Amino acid sequence: MEISGKIKWESRRGMREIDLMLLPFVEHDLPNMDEETLKDYEDLLEATDLELVRWFNGTCQPDSPRRQKMVATIVKCHQKRIGKEGV
């Protein structure tokens, strides 16, 4: 699946903690997922930066099951990349 430039642009939040999670996910993982996951990701992008940071570091839970699943997916993909060069 081709990821639009708009989605890539909206994934750039300017906050290092968030960008380290979202940008590699959009580049490497999201293209291999289905349309429903893309919709869930677009929904997640509507959250504030503060919400995203709290969700990714586990201090708060996302406000819907769809967002909970999307955050868990992004965190899982991020954990698989830890320690790999260039990603």
Side-chain angles (χ1 to χ4, degrees), residues 22-81:
L22 296 184
L23 298 177
F25 178 76
V26 168
E27 185 71 28
H28 301 286
D29 304 307
L30 192 56
N32 301 318
M33 296 184 179
D34 60 23
E35 287 291 324
E36 190 65 30
T37 303
L38 177 59
K39 289 178 188 175
D40 289 347
Y41 183 74
E42 289 175 309
D43 174 66
L44 186 75
L45 290 177
E46 294 179 18
T48 67
D49 291 351
L50 183 57
E51 287 173 318
L52 290 172
V53 166
R54 289 177 175 168
W55 296 343
F56 288 140
N57 71 21
T59 58
C60 289
Q61 285 293 313
D63 52 1
S64 74
R66 288 176 59 197
R67 286 183 173 182
Q68 289 173 8
K69 183 179 176 188
M70 192 74 254
V71 167
T73 299
I74 293 169
V75 168
K76 182 178 177 182
C77 291
H78 175 73
Q79 289 172 338
K80 288 180 181 178
R81 277 192 292 280

